Amino acid sequence: MTLATILKEKTFGLITVNPEMLISDVVNVMTAKRIGAVLVVEPGGSLVGIVSERDIVRSLSTAAAATLQLTAAALMTRKPTTAGPEISVATAMEIMTEGRFRHLPILEEGALVGLVSIGDVVKARLTQQEHEVDTLRAYVVGGS
């Protein structure tokens, strides 16, 4: 299974913010959409970073309420690790585990096409394993 398969099954579109959006507004977007990260995209559509709950919490621990007046550009992780839609779910899981992050932007021919979370990847992997188990059961029962 590839990341393209996960992207086809996602129920809502890509959630992005512009670099000048205040973190207070970014938090409102994340809360309303019930997501843990947003992609920061320039007006031309190119990916420049990602802001996650973790980025916001880290800033709150040092800058307190002033964090809410910062821009997405001030807190974002610049040049996030990305992947193509053709990579496998297992490879995506390895990339995310090794990099210690939970969201992976997906680029196709340089264009942003989606975002997968560790939850998406784990769900896909479990579905894949369930299918494999069902196939093996059918084989064993049919072969007896």
Side-chain angles (χ1 to χ4, degrees):
M1 181 181 295
T2 65
L3 296 183
T5 305
I6 292 175
L7 292 177
K8 287 178 189 170
E9 295 174 1
K10 290 190 79 124
T11 57
F12 57 86
L14 194 56
I15 309 299
T16 64
V17 300
N18 70 56
E20 300 310 312
M21 182 178 274
L22 293 178
I23 292 300
S24 59
D25 295 326
V26 170
V27 168
N28 289 335
V29 169
M30 292 168 67
T31 300
K33 299 295 183 179
R34 301 185 65 194
I35 55 177
V38 291
L39 297 172
V40 183
V41 176
E42 290 181 333
S46 58
L47 176 67
V48 293
I50 186 169
V51 176
S52 69
E53 294 167 324
R54 185 179 294 169
D55 297 323
I56 295 167
V57 168
R58 283 183 181 149
S59 180
L60 284 168
S61 74
T62 58
T67 295
L68 299 176
Q69 297 307 309
L70 295 173
T71 63
L75 276 191
M76 71 183 182
T77 299
R78 298 177 187 279
K79 298 180 184 174
T81 301
T82 62
E86 74 286 347
I87 75 163
S88 71
V89 169
T91 300
M93 190 177 287
E94 287 175 25
I95 291 169
M96 295 167 87
T97 300
E98 288 174 14
R100 299 181 53 85
F101 52 83
R102 297 176 291 176
H103 298 88
L104 184 62
I106 309 304
L107 300 178
E108 186 169 27
E109 296 179 11
L112 182 61
V113 295
L115 176 72
V116 295
S117 70
I118 193 68
D120 297 330
V121 171
V122 168
K123 179 181 175 188
R125 188 74 176 122
L126 289 173
T127 299
Q128 187 177 20
Q129 287 178 336
E130 287 173 7
H131 176 71
E132 290 171 3
V133 167
D134 290 344
T135 301
L136 289 171
R137 279 190 183 132
Y139 176 76
V140 169
V141 169
S144 325

